[in-house]
Amino acid sequence: LEVSKLYYRFLKEANENYNDLEDLAAYSLQRATLIPLKDGNKHIQHGSTPAYLYRLVGTWGFSPKAKKWREFQNWFFPRFDNKDFKPFVEGLSINKWYNGREWSHWFLKFCDEERLFNLYGNMPNKTTLSANWREPGEHYGSGPAKGKEFEIFAERPDYNFQLPRAEHLVRIGWDGRLHPDFHSVLYQENVDEMNKLIKYGRQGEFLMLSLYNEYFFIWLRNFLCNVELLKIRPKRIALVTNDRKAHEQMQTVEGVHSVYLKFPGGEASRGNTFSTPGYIELMLNRARLVLELLRHGM
């Protein structure tokens, strides 16, 4: 293995930020790519967040929490003596790799029973804090070394990892998707855009937020003109829509942060007449958006 010069700083900062999380079992330095529960999903849906929680354990640069490692050992030894017990998690493709010796399969089973996650860093430009040179051996067979799958993360010593707050960590299930027990449908469908909106919202004390569609676009433009004329225009304005045409129109307006999101109900929830199903859905989506933002500390 080859590790980044910043690996210790990452582990130290992650431990300081997340060690109190009861559902966190361990930290990993590797870049996760494996999805052990196949359902057609080809990529882990962590978006651009700098760190996230994943059900799968990362063995390259593995650093368990002391408390959870002790709990794992107490769980492990009675089961290891039971020759009929196999540490399989139902449905996982990696069950076939078990040959009776791998500690990682036991740790996976422990995490599954205890509903625990493992923390990964999501370094920029597809780099990694720990790279395996994939040399000949038990894991990669014979033949020449394949080399590193990802380049080592290399940045200045004072690099800011920008780790999210513990309550805002993304949690990923065995299938590589956002875990439905922890994330709303709205967030699951718009990971990157929601994270950008949340980041924008935390940059100051006051934020004007509005949900609009094409019908309300003219009203919104008039409002912005009036508050500018009166010199009371908010410094930060976030405008959210599920109407692509309205979003394209808003790109021509300076000084606003326009976001396109996929809402439950799709484009059908663009109603513009009071009491119609579309309008009611629009109002429900506004409430869903505000609730999600409040959950993320805005």
Side-chain angles (χ1 to χ4, degrees):
L1 293 180
E2 178 183 349
V3 297
S4 166
K5 292 181 179 179
L6 294 177
Y7 87 90
Y8 178 74
R9 263 201 55 224
F10 174 82
L11 287 177
K12 185 174 183 292
E13 290 185 23
N15 185 72
E16 290 171 352
N17 280 275
Y18 309 129
N19 195 52
D20 291 336
L21 285 177
E22 283 299 321
D23 62 347
L24 172 60
Y27 308 91
S28 177
L29 298 176
Q30 76 181 79
R31 187 175 188 88
T33 57
L34 176 64
I35 299 176
L37 184 60
K38 300 296 183 182
D39 69 345
N41 186 28
K42 296 181 179 179
H43 303 286
I44 300 172
Q45 295 181 333
H46 48 57
S48 58
T49 182
Y52 61 95
L53 297 173
Y54 190 17
R55 294 302 296 275
L56 185 67
V57 60
T59 57
W60 302 350
F62 175 74
S63 178
K65 286 172 57 178
K67 178 183 176 182
K68 294 303 178 184
W69 187 252
R70 288 193 294 269
E71 291 177 2
F72 166 62
Q73 292 184 73
N74 293 334
W75 175 94
F76 167 76
F77 285 109
R79 290 165 177 78
F80 185 70
D81 292 335
N82 181 358
K83 302 306 179 183
D84 295 326
F85 184 86
K86 295 294 186 292
F88 295 158
V89 177
E90 185 178 355
L92 299 193
S93 60
I94 55 178
N95 288 336
K96 61 186 178 184
W97 296 347
Y98 180 70
N99 61 17
R101 300 193 302 272
E102 299 92 340
W103 67 269
S104 55
H105 282 268
W106 291 92
F107 196 77
L108 281 172
K109 182 64 175 177
F110 167 72
C111 288
D112 184 62
E113 289 191 3
E114 300 297 320
R115 296 176 59 81
L116 300 175
F117 292 84
N118 298 274
L119 185 126
Y120 290 80
N122 184 23
M123 299 301 105
N125 303 316
K126 292 188 176 181
T127 55
T128 181
L129 292 164
S130 173
N132 192 318
W133 277 78
R134 299 185 291 177
E135 296 172 311
E138 183 170 344
H139 293 291
Y140 289 102
S142 59
K146 297 179 181 179
K148 295 178 290 187
E149 188 174 7
F150 300 103
E151 290 300 317
I152 287 291
F153 176 68
E155 276 288 350
R156 60 186 184 277
D158 61 345
Y159 178 81
N160 183 359
F161 289 107
Q162 297 183 321
L163 298 179
R165 283 185 269 181
E167 62 268 28
H168 305 147
L169 278 172
V170 169
R171 286 169 168 76
I172 308 289
W174 294 115
D175 58 359
R177 301 181 188 276
L178 290 169
H179 202 297
D181 290 351
F182 300 94
H183 300 290
S184 68
V185 174
L186 174 60
Y187 189 83
Q188 292 179 52
E189 292 292 327
N190 304 278
V191 180
D192 281 338
E193 291 303 320
M194 283 294 295
N195 286 338
K196 291 176 185 177
L197 178 58
I198 292 165
K199 183 177 180 180
Y200 178 74
R202 292 179 185 154
Q203 291 175 359
E205 295 182 357
F206 180 79
L207 172 70
M208 173 187 160
L209 176 70
S210 181
L211 179 64
Y212 72 103
N213 57 26
E214 185 184 3
Y215 176 79
F216 293 106
F217 179 75
I218 296 177
W219 176 88
L220 201 52
R221 286 294 301 265
N222 288 337
F223 170 80
L224 293 174
C225 288
N226 287 329
V227 293
E228 186 147 354
L229 183 64
L230 295 171
K231 297 182 180 181
I232 57 171
R233 175 171 170 156
K235 293 182 179 180
R236 297 184 312 121
I237 303 173
L239 303 176
V240 180
T241 185
N242 70 330
D243 184 329
R244 289 190 182 278
K245 187 173 181 179
H247 180 58
E248 292 172 1
Q249 291 174 326
M250 191 53 69
Q251 302 305 304
T252 64
V253 181
E254 295 183 3
V256 299
H257 184 80
S258 181
V259 181
Y260 174 80
L261 299 179
K262 298 176 183 177
F263 281 99
E267 299 261 336
S269 62
R270 297 186 302 168
N272 52 37
T273 303
F274 290 101
S275 299
T276 61
Y279 183 83
I280 293 172
E281 186 67 31
L282 182 68
M283 295 300 102
L284 287 174
N285 283 335
R286 182 171 65 179
R288 292 178 181 122
L289 175 62
V290 171
L291 178 60
E292 194 64 37
L293 294 177
L294 290 175
R295 284 175 176 169
H296 284 82
M298 281 184 62

